[in-house]
Amino acid sequence: SPSRPRDGGTCPCRVSSVLNRDVKQFGKKHMFDASEETCWNSDQGTCQWVTLDFPRTVKVSQLHIQFQGGFSSRLCTLEGCRAGEELAKISDLYPEDINAMQISFAAFQVEETVLDKLKITFENGTDFFGRIVVYHLGVLGERL
């Protein structure tokens, strides 16, 4: 089975926004803490995003995202690059928003791509105000 190339503790991660700038309650670290109780909650606005800067080059094979129902994204655009290069599009992913109460889990096979940086842009959100809520973000693959 594929190993995890990173976790939130070792991989610098940036996000587009945090709801009410309340990093303690809704910050990016909550996507990687393996808790069902905590999440990253973006602020309002279209095209929220997450970038991951891997400490070492990785070959990504799968992406796992767990959204709050009603606060997910109908389209996720993946971009990646090697160190010092410009981001280039890898693929489009289409998560399903199961219902407004449920947490929906999406696992995507990604065409194996070698990269040092990954950007996930959440386009076409299901929330009227563009907020995205992610309980878990996992990238599977191997360190090179």
Side-chain angles (χ1 to χ4, degrees), residues 56-123:
R56 286 170 50 192
T57 303
V58 296
K59 187 196 282 185
V60 172
S61 58
Q62 271 189 38
L63 183 67
H64 292 178
I65 307 178
Q66 204 163 10
F67 292 106
Q68 172 67 50
F71 295 90
S72 66
S73 175
R74 295 181 193 95
L75 167 61
C76 297
T77 302
L78 289 192
E79 297 171 286
C81 62
R82 300 295 302 273
E85 294 179 359
E86 293 288 305
L87 285 167
K89 187 167 174 176
I90 300 168
S91 62
D92 288 331
L93 309 176
Y94 299 92
E96 287 181 41
D97 190 42
I98 298 169
N99 71 38
M101 296 305 292
Q102 197 169 331
I103 291 175
S104 57
F105 178 75
F108 298 99
Q109 289 294 130
V110 178
E111 188 178 326
E112 288 209 339
T113 310
V114 175
L115 41 79
D116 294 291
K117 181 176 190 168
L118 179 67
K119 181 176 184 180
I120 307 160
T121 303
F122 303 106
E123 305 184 52

Side-chain angles (χ1 to χ4, degrees), residues 1 11 15 41 43 52 59-61 72 118 126 129:
S1 70
C11 175
V15 292
N41 194 329
D43 220 328
L52 303 169
K59 187 196 282 185
V60 172
S61 58
S72 66
L118 179 67
T126 56
F129 296 104

